[in-house]
């Protein structure tokens, strides 16, 4: 059942204010959604700056080591300086080493009453039973459209962006970056204008948004014609050689997976009218359905360990080739 983020924050706030140490595991995906949850929690539970009373154990792709557990012990040995509580936060707890887990279990046995542990994870089932039994587990099963500001909702009706509101992460990103995203769509009119935008985003933006690159990669795939493929590949190859090729390859993979999945729904089921990305259906009409083998290959390459080691140049060439072949013209 979908809930509003405010409802979940209210439930967590009641636990935080209960007067005892709070241990939470939050099943959530997407850094933006986690930050939005914490922002709302701090606003309602603390109503003040809590930066001095928050200890981050790790980022989403970082390990939690034994020395991090020792930092927690030192952090909780003093009372809060500004907030009512002290917050120990992990952005992905399944990345904790066994030694760190053992140490943190001891710390959470009898912590001070002001302690609040918030351990985010994308897969609670991977956590040890002793961890799950000691913590209260919440799932951030959030209604995506509820995260988008009303004024934004009014503007995006009938646009391509409306079809991208399926996930909370997307909805939050669109809400916070609506004008820049709309400008991207307005500027990406064909294959080469889209390729140019990808190059500009990669070479000139200090913080490259994987979401924006994925959107542009998808439009590039849909615009692409057979006779343009060599020039497009050479352009992408130059971009990959200049920047973080693994991250960029992942953005292209995300875009290709979405197209493959939508094509399968459109061509093999009677549920195509339920595809949220309706504005794109006009591009799918002349495309063939990917085979099961092609879909399995794409999902395999989309596995983090696989694509991180893959040759990004070759991977992009294969993606372009497969998508051009699906166009059948």
């Amino acid at each position: 059942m979908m809930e509003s983020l405010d409802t979940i924050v209210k439930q967590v706030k009641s636990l935080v204010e209960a007067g005892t140490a709070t241990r939470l595991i939050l099943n959530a995906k997407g850094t933006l959604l986690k930050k939005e949850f914490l922002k709302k929690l701090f606003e309602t539970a603390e109503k003040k700056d809590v930066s001095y009373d928050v200890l981050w154990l790790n980022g989403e792709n970082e390990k939690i080591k034994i020395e991090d557990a020792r930092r927690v012990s030192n952090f909780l040995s003093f009372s809060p300086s500004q907030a009512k509580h002290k917050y120990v936060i992990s952005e992905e707890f399944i990345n904790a080493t066994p030694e760190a887990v053992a140490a943190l279990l001891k710390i959470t046995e009898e912590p001070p009453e002001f302690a609040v542990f918030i351990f985010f994870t994308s897969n609670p089932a991977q956590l040890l039973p002793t961890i799950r039994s000691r913590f209260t587990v919440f799932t951030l099963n959030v209604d995506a459209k509820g995260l988008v500001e009303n004024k934004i909702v009014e503007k995006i009706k009938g646009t391509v962006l409306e079809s991208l509101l399926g996930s909370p992460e997307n909805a939050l990103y669109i809400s916070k970056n609506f004008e820049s995203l709309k400008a991207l769509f307005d500027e990406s009119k064909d294959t080469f204008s889209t390729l140019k935008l990808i190059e500009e985003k990669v070479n000139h933006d200090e913080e490259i948004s994987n979401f924006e690159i994925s959107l542009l990669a998808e439009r590039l795939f849909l615009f692409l014609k057979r006779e343009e493929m060599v020039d497009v590949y050479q352009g992408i190859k130059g971009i990959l050689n200049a920047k973080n090729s693994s991250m960029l390859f992942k953005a292209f993979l995300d875009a290709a997976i979405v197209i493959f999945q939508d094509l399968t729904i459109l061509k093999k089921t009677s549920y195509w009218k339920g595809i949220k990305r309706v504005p794109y259906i006009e591009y799918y009409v002349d495309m063939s359905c990917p085979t099961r083998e092609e879909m399995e290959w794409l999902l395999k390459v989309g596995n983090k360990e696989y694509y991180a080691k893959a040759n990004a140049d070759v991977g992009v060439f294969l993606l372009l080739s497969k998508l051009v072949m699906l166009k059948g013209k």
Side-chain angles (χ1 to χ4, degrees), residues 109-295:
E109 279 178 2
E110 294 184 8
E113 292 184 351
F114 55 75
V116 178
F117 299 92
I118 300 177
F119 292 167
F120 290 105
T121 181
S122 57
N123 193 348
Q126 288 188 18
L127 299 177
L128 292 172
T130 46
I131 289 283
R132 295 200 304 271
S133 65
R134 190 170 294 173
F135 284 65
T136 301
V137 180
F138 280 87
T139 297
L140 292 188
N141 193 18
V142 176
D143 176 19
K145 286 197 174 182
L147 297 171
V148 183
E149 298 174 25
N150 288 334
K151 62 182 180 181
I152 300 298
V153 171
E154 290 302 313
K155 290 182 179 180
I156 65 177
K157 284 182 179 178
T159 70
V160 173
L161 291 175
E162 185 180 16
S163 65
L164 302 172
L165 292 177
S167 76
E169 187 81 352
N170 286 0
L172 277 168
Y173 193 89
I174 290 171
S175 184
K176 293 177 181 298
N177 301 277
F178 174 76
E179 294 301 334
S180 63
L181 285 171
K182 187 174 182 304
L184 279 183
F185 284 115
D186 289 342
E187 291 179 53
S188 56
K189 301 292 186 183
D190 54 33
T191 305
F192 291 103
S193 63
T194 306
L195 181 61
K196 182 181 177 183
L197 282 170
I198 293 173
E199 186 176 9
E200 288 175 353
K201 292 295 294 182
V202 171
N203 291 333
H204 302 299
D205 279 16
E206 291 184 7
E207 294 186 13
I208 307 169
S209 162
N210 189 75
F211 181 71
E212 289 188 16
I213 297 297
S214 295
L215 294 182
L216 289 171
E218 182 179 5
R219 289 174 73 74
L220 185 74
F221 288 151
L222 293 172
F223 289 141
L224 184 64
K225 300 185 177 96
R226 281 178 182 270
E227 61 269 22
E228 298 170 334
M229 185 177 151
V230 173
D231 290 335
V232 169
Y233 172 62
Q234 291 298 332
I236 295 173
K237 187 176 179 180
I239 298 170
L240 289 170
N241 289 339
K243 290 289 182 178
N244 185 337
S245 61
S246 177
M247 187 279 288
L248 290 172
F249 183 32
K250 173 63 164 55
F252 278 87
L253 278 168
D254 288 345
I257 287 170
V258 169
I259 292 174
F260 270 46
Q261 289 173 335
D262 279 359
L263 273 171
T264 303
I265 293 171
L266 178 64
K267 301 290 183 177
K268 289 207 167 186
T269 77
S270 58
Y271 301 110
W272 67 268
K273 289 184 179 178
I275 297 176
K276 293 180 178 179
R277 302 154 48 70
V278 171
Y280 281 167
I281 286 181
E282 64 179 285
Y283 295 105
Y284 298 152
V285 172
D286 294 326
M287 295 179 75
S288 305
C289 182
T291 64
R292 180 175 178 178
E293 291 75 19
E294 286 173 325
M295 193 70 188

Side-chain angles (χ1 to χ4, degrees), residues 92-105:
E92 181 47 85
F93 193 65
I94 59 175
N95 290 339
T97 65
E99 297 79 10
V101 170
L104 288 167
L105 273 171

